[in-house]
Amino acid sequence: MTPTTLRVLRLLALLQDRAHTGRELAERLSITDRTLRHDIQRLRDLGYPVQAQRGAVGGYRLGRGTTMPPLLLDDDEAVAVAVAVGLAEDGATGIADISENVSRALAKLDQILPKRLQRKVTALREATAIGPATTGSREPDAPVPAAVLTTLAGGIRDGATVLLDQDDTERTEEIEPYRLINWQRRWYLVAYHLETHSWSAIPVARIQRAGAGSRRFAPRALPDEDLVAFVMRHIASTGWKVNARVTVLAPAETVIARINPAVGVVEAVDANTCILLTGADAMETIAIYLSMLMMDFRVDGPPELVDHIRTIARRYAAAVPPE
């Protein structure tokens, strides 16, 4: 590209970031005010709605136009957009009629991403599976740093161990990463623990730091052919702040057909009774899940949930007129 083209692209990048005074732009680009005005006009001729305001606090800013002009993104922004669009293509948005548009947008991004960025995006997309859609109450979001996700995805891609510092431990653990699962805007890592020789689904939000480990590993026999189902069972039994045990007065097959896999694990007791192991980050959410069962049940524990259900029962009883 010619120096003029490079300069105009730099100007566009500055304007897409925020508003600038003319003096700021001229100094950043090492050009005269006259050249700046010419470059602003070049952008306008290309369809970019560059707006100018006079006065002490005036300057140039990129406004809204009638068409969609080309967009400049830095490396981190490009990776973020590509990953977000990729999740949307996999159905993580829950919107049914945008899949074709999402696929076209992702194809355009894939075509122009530099190889160094494409490697990051591809690793994360190929390492990620999407959990099942759910209805009813949704748990609060648990955002995670992009750097942690890309490190975990790189380990999965390369078959390399990863060093983890989690918020509930005071030491660094080396694990073998196998799969990332995205469910309800939360991330989980299916990993094999080298110290305990066990599998688990680690909430990525609890990982404070992730770094490259010291060795490569051969893939092990997985704990389940369906790792999404493995994570859902793990979440239901151990992955919540509040875990509950509930006796449901219905056949296990009926309860399994009624609930989402992430809501709980069902164990048959007899032909007409089963145990539901479930959990959530709040007792209120468990109460909502249980009410949605539309079956008779008995809460076995914890005691706090029993007290909460009793309180709700009193409120419901008081809200109904006597027969």
Side-chain angles (χ1 to χ4, degrees):
M1 290 184 288
T2 66
T4 299
T5 304
L6 289 172
R7 188 180 66 243
V8 172
L9 287 174
R10 288 185 59 201
L11 173 60
L12 177 59
L14 291 172
L15 291 173
Q16 286 182 339
D17 180 33
R18 62 177 177 84
H20 295 269
T21 66
R23 177 172 295 182
E24 286 176 339
L25 292 172
E27 291 178 351
R28 292 283 296 273
L29 298 171
S30 300
I31 58 177
T32 65
D33 292 343
R34 183 170 180 269
T35 301
L36 175 63
R37 289 192 295 270
H38 288 167
D39 288 348
I40 291 292
Q41 187 57 48
R42 288 187 177 96
L43 288 176
R44 289 170 176 162
D45 293 340
L46 291 170
Y48 293 95
V50 182
Q51 299 174 354
Q53 293 180 333
R54 297 184 180 277
V57 294
Y60 295 98
R61 62 184 297 272
L62 200 60
R64 299 183 185 275
T66 59
T67 60
M68 179 69 183
L71 181 66
L72 292 182
L73 301 173
D74 63 25
D75 285 5
D76 290 339
E77 291 169 343
V79 171
V81 170
V83 170
V85 173
L87 290 175
E89 185 187 40
D90 291 335
T93 63
I95 304 174
D97 56 355
I98 66 170
S99 58
E100 183 178 346
N101 294 331
V102 167
S103 296
R104 288 203 308 269
L106 187 59
K108 291 178 181 179
L109 282 171
D110 286 342
Q111 186 175 2
I112 63 175
L113 278 178
K115 288 186 177 180
R116 67 182 188 282
L117 303 183
Q118 182 70 59
R119 184 173 170 82
K120 287 185 178 181
V121 173
T122 301
L124 186 52
R125 290 190 63 209
E126 292 181 349
T128 301
I130 306 298
T134 59
T135 58
S137 176
R138 184 170 66 82
E139 295 297 326
D141 294 345
V144 301
V148 171
L149 286 178
T150 54
T151 298
L152 298 177
I156 295 171
R157 176 196 62 209
D158 300 334
T161 58
V162 175
L163 300 173
L164 301 182
D165 291 336
Q166 299 187 57
D167 56 13
D168 57 351
T169 62
E170 296 182 354
R171 59 185 179 79
T172 299
E173 180 186 12
E174 189 169 17
I175 57 91
E176 296 177 356
Y178 281 84
R179 194 70 166 157
L180 285 165
I181 307 297
N182 180 270
W183 176 72
Q184 278 202 342
R185 296 169 65 91
R186 293 179 174 222
W187 291 87
Y188 299 87
L189 171 67
V190 178
Y192 183 81
H193 299 263
L194 295 173
E195 293 185 6
T196 60
H197 303 289
S198 62
W199 292 89
S200 75
I202 303 172
V204 180
R206 297 180 186 174
I207 298 175
Q208 294 181 337
R209 188 187 69 85
S214 60
R215 38 185 157 161
R216 299 292 181 97
F217 61 88
R220 300 176 185 270
L222 297 175
D224 193 308
E225 291 184 1
D226 186 348
L227 290 183
V228 172
F230 171 78
V231 170
M232 295 298 99
R233 288 196 301 273
H234 194 277
I235 293 171
S237 58
T238 64
W240 302 111
K241 293 180 181 178
V242 181
N243 291 287
R245 178 184 175 93
V246 180
T247 299
V248 184
L249 306 180
E253 300 80 23
T254 303
V255 178
I256 291 172
R258 184 73 179 85
I259 69 171
N260 185 281
V263 172
V265 175
V266 179
E267 301 174 353
V269 175
D270 54 41
N272 299 306
T273 311
C274 62
I275 299 296
L276 171 63
L277 303 176
T278 186
D281 277 356
M283 289 185 294
E284 293 81 1
T285 304
I286 298 179
I288 292 173
Y289 286 157
L290 293 177
S291 67
M292 292 171 63
L293 277 176
M294 302 299 292
M295 303 174 193
D296 294 332
F297 63 88
R298 181 180 66 250
V299 179
D300 302 322
E304 296 83 4
L305 179 60
V306 174
D307 293 340
H308 183 70
I309 295 293
R310 284 173 177 161
T311 299
I312 293 177
R314 286 195 298 269
R315 289 174 180 164
Y316 282 174
V320 177
E323 296 180 358

